[in-house]
Amino acid sequence: MPAVDIPGSKSITARALFLAAAADGVTTLVRPLRSDDTEGFAEGLTRLGYRLGRTPDAWQVDGRPAGPAVPEADVYCRDGATTARFLPTLAAAGHGTYRFDASEQMRRRPLLPLTQALRDLGVDLRHEQTEGHHPLTVRATGVEGGEVVLDAGQSSQYLTALLLLGPLTRKGLRIRVTDLVSVPYVEITIAMMRAFGVEVGRETGGSQGNVFVVPPGGYRATTYAIEPDASTAGYFFAAAAVTPGAEVTVPGLGEGALQGDLGFVDVLRRMGAEVSVGPDGTRVRGTGVLRGVTVNMRDISDTMPTLAAIAPFADGPVRIEDVANTRVKECDRLEACAENLRRLGAEVATGLDWIEIRPGVAGSLRGTEIKSYGDHRIVMSFAVTGLRVPGISFDDPGCVRKTFPGFHEAFAELRDGLR
């Protein structure tokens, strides 16, 4: 199979847009992801008065360290969690009145730990309907900074938003984190802040939890290349793992990659796939062996549905643990996986933070319509199942536009290459 061209990382593109908007000067983002989520983020920046220029391969952002250029704005965040959490935080550093709303799906997703932390820092932020959810209004007068306590046990995005805000405050931030999931995403944030001229300090251990220290002083503009999306690459790596003799290579995603979700290939290696991570890319080859595993996916939970979708093909049970936070994503991903696997004929058990899938008897799985719940990751994960189970369809195949509008075409090309 030839190399697969994976679009840019959603997580990195969103952070890069925030950093570029906050930086002093014009930043060029090379190969940003163009999807519904990132287009929504860019549109939100434009509504706040930031200037963006676009070419086929790059976006240019005219940064404003003082915050939004307009005194008031209404921003619609679509389905994007990064948009819905990062942009109100960015707006708080400016001066004006900014109202944020989102889709019904995003309105259901929690926000309170972040908004409470912003309030503790003196930000006038009000939820207009349900406390802790969109819509909300920020009446911004800048942020003084100081010390704040944060529970990031539901989403690391709460911590990322505050880290990104830190250099825009007058005194900097000292963030004490009492709980934290998806640690690799925080590592992405810190590495990217360094690329824009800010070094985050850390203190660990003791009863005080983890403390992140962010200096004031702002960001400097730069040229920043967006690496391929590791979560998206996971569907293609999984496709190779479940197909004996198949091989998939993703260039540009190898040693030194920022994204923790590349660690999914280590799970595939434990299951029996042949994996090679080099300086220029990562290769996975199916060996015809797919072993059962028990794996803690707290730090790579976006790849949980991918593993769940191929679990019936393993020779023993696949148990995925410590993924309670997947219940508050675009949908309750843990239950969505369980329901769809049962519809396929698999034997599944679930708990508050775990799912266990038992191997299917040869020929026991049957094609069915997958219930997507509007969640791109459910559709893309079960597309991999469809490589081994004929007759799988989706009730909302178009929801992949959130992160990969061309997914179905790219996966069809992959399927043809694996035959």
Side-chain angles (χ1 to χ4, degrees), residues 58-297:
W59 288 350
Q60 287 191 320
V61 183
D62 194 349
R64 288 185 52 83
V70 296
E72 57 183 276
D74 287 294
V75 177
Y76 181 63
C77 300
R78 304 189 193 183
D79 287 335
T82 49
T83 308
R85 292 162 177 169
F86 294 179
L87 286 187
T89 308
L90 176 64
H95 292 78
T97 301
Y98 309 106
R99 184 177 182 274
F100 298 86
D101 202 354
S103 68
E104 285 300 319
Q105 183 190 65
M106 187 60 223
R107 279 186 173 194
R108 291 191 294 270
R109 298 182 67 178
L111 193 68
L112 189 58
L114 172 60
T115 56
Q116 187 57 56
L118 290 171
R119 286 167 171 166
D120 290 346
L121 290 167
V123 176
D124 182 350
L125 187 155
R126 300 178 190 179
H127 293 281
E128 295 175 8
Q129 294 181 17
T130 305
E131 183 68 7
H133 297 267
H134 280 74
L136 62 88
T137 298
V138 177
R139 291 176 174 83
T141 56
V143 181
E144 186 70 13
E147 183 156 349
V148 68
V149 178
L150 175 72
D151 181 345
Q154 282 182 327
S155 173
S156 64
Q157 289 177 3
Y158 305 153
L159 176 56
T160 281
L162 292 180
L163 289 170
L164 292 171
L165 172 66
L168 305 180
T169 66
R170 289 181 277 274
K171 291 183 177 178
L173 286 182
R174 183 180 173 86
I175 309 162
R176 182 159 62 85
V177 181
T178 58
D179 193 16
L180 179 60
V181 294
S182 304
V183 172
Y185 283 97
V186 177
E187 300 294 343
I188 292 173
T189 304
I190 292 171
M192 292 183 67
M193 290 173 68
R194 185 179 302 118
F196 282 78
V198 174
E199 193 68 45
V200 176
R202 278 188 275 189
E203 304 166 8
T204 58
S207 60
Q208 298 302 302
N210 292 322
V211 177
F212 295 80
V213 182
V214 190
Y219 298 101
R220 61 169 181 261
T222 188
T223 296
Y224 194 88
I226 311 295
E227 69 186 31
D229 193 292
S231 308
T232 299
Y235 310 119
F236 295 84
F237 291 141
V242 300
T243 309
E247 189 174 299
V248 165
T249 299
V250 175
L253 192 66
E255 295 169 0
L258 293 180
Q259 299 163 83
D261 276 4
L262 184 57
F264 180 64
V265 299
D266 295 328
V267 179
L268 297 178
R269 181 189 283 118
R270 284 179 56 194
M271 296 179 80
E274 183 182 295
V275 175
S276 173
V277 182
D280 302 317
T282 297
R283 178 182 64 85
V284 174
R285 190 180 72 85
T287 62
V289 174
L290 206 63
R291 291 187 287 269
V293 290
T294 296
V295 57
N296 184 308
M297 299 191 86

Side-chain angles (χ1 to χ4, degrees), residues 357-378:
I357 304 102
R358 296 196 169 276
V361 179
S364 65
L365 298 183
R366 57 185 179 271
T368 188
E369 182 179 72
I370 299 297
K371 294 178 67 174
S372 67
Y373 298 93
D375 190 331
H376 58 131
R377 299 213 183 279
I378 298 298

